[in-house]
Amino acid sequence: MEGRREWMAADGTKYSLEELIENYGTDVLRTAYLYVNNKEAAEDLFQEVFIKVAKNLKTFEGNSSIKTWIIRITINLCKDYLKSAYQRSVVPMMDFVEDSISSEDSFDEIERIETAKTVKEAVQMLPKHYREVVLCVYYQDMSLKETAQTLHIAEGTVKSRLKRAKERLKVCLEGRL
């Protein structure tokens, strides 16, 4: 850890920002992108998350895993971003640009890309409380307990929301895949 600045959490554990970014950066970026559906915004949110982590690490008490805490910060910042007046009134230009598929891609690869895109769109159409659970469990590989801690809801609520989200996705995706 030579040359790395360390912060101490409230529980006494020492962390370096570089270590946290290495271990959880991909999860933060993936969560932000799936939440806001905009690459540039997700990258900006990534930076905001780790600035907030650095500033608030001293308040982390260890009641959950550090990953759960960081993903909770990510989700909260994404919610704030989506609520902002700027976001409600401005449509990013990237929304008008189609994902390009190269002519060198195999049929299986094209089909995989299209299936992933269809599923992602369906997940993003879910009501927020269902979408959050799906993102945590399936995109972040969190357990039901970790998801409950991250979203500050009961584990039973996670189970029921996940069940209802799956039912909605099944109806939405039926005949499309």
Side-chain angles (χ1 to χ4, degrees):
M1 290 264 201
E2 195 172 312
R4 290 184 174 190
R5 180 171 174 208
E6 291 186 337
W7 283 268
M8 187 168 314
D11 69 353
T13 307
K14 290 183 180 180
Y15 296 97
S16 75
L17 192 57
E18 293 86 356
E19 173 189 14
L20 294 174
I21 290 171
E22 285 172 18
N23 293 336
Y24 308 110
T26 302
D27 295 327
V28 167
L29 191 59
R30 184 182 317 130
T31 300
Y33 178 73
L34 289 168
Y35 220 90
V36 301
N37 196 28
N38 178 292
K39 183 181 175 215
E40 291 80 15
E43 290 169 351
D44 290 344
L45 285 162
F46 172 91
Q47 291 178 11
E48 284 185 53
V49 165
F50 285 104
I51 290 168
K52 193 163 193 160
V53 165
K55 286 181 179 177
N56 295 296
L57 192 56
K58 64 186 171 287
T59 66
F60 176 66
E61 297 177 352
N63 297 331
S64 63
S65 72
I66 190 78
K67 176 182 177 180
T68 300
W69 184 70
I70 292 171
I71 296 302
R72 178 76 241 159
I73 291 170
T74 305
I75 290 171
N76 286 340
L77 285 173
C78 288
K79 285 179 179 180
D80 292 346
Y81 171 83
L82 291 172
K83 279 190 241 174
S84 74
Y86 176 77
Q87 279 308 113
R88 284 194 302 267
S89 63
V90 176
V91 179
M93 286 300 293
M94 292 307 292
D95 287 355
F96 298 106
V97 178
E98 288 294 320
D99 292 331
S100 63
I101 298 174
S102 164
S103 60
E104 291 109 35
D105 288 334
S106 69
F107 178 76
D108 290 339
E109 182 64 13
I110 292 170
E111 189 173 44
R112 187 194 65 73
I113 291 168
E114 288 301 311
T115 298
K117 184 177 175 184
T118 301
V119 171
K120 184 183 99 175
E121 289 169 356
V123 168
Q124 289 173 330
M125 290 174 56
L126 288 171
K128 181 182 73 169
H129 58 283
Y130 294 147
R131 183 175 62 238
E132 289 175 340
V133 171
V134 169
L135 292 176
C136 287
V137 172
Y138 292 111
Y139 289 88
Q140 292 301 328
D141 295 323
M142 289 183 176
S143 68
L144 297 177
K145 182 177 180 179
E146 289 174 320
T147 301
Q149 289 174 336
T150 299
L151 301 176
H152 302 294
I153 57 177
E155 202 170 325
T157 304
V158 172
K159 288 178 187 177
S160 64
R161 286 182 183 178
L162 194 57
K163 181 179 185 237
R164 290 183 184 124
K166 286 182 194 177
E167 290 168 355
R168 286 184 178 221
L169 286 171
K170 182 179 178 185
V171 169
C172 180
L173 294 171
E174 213 167 296
R176 293 176 63 190
L177 299 177

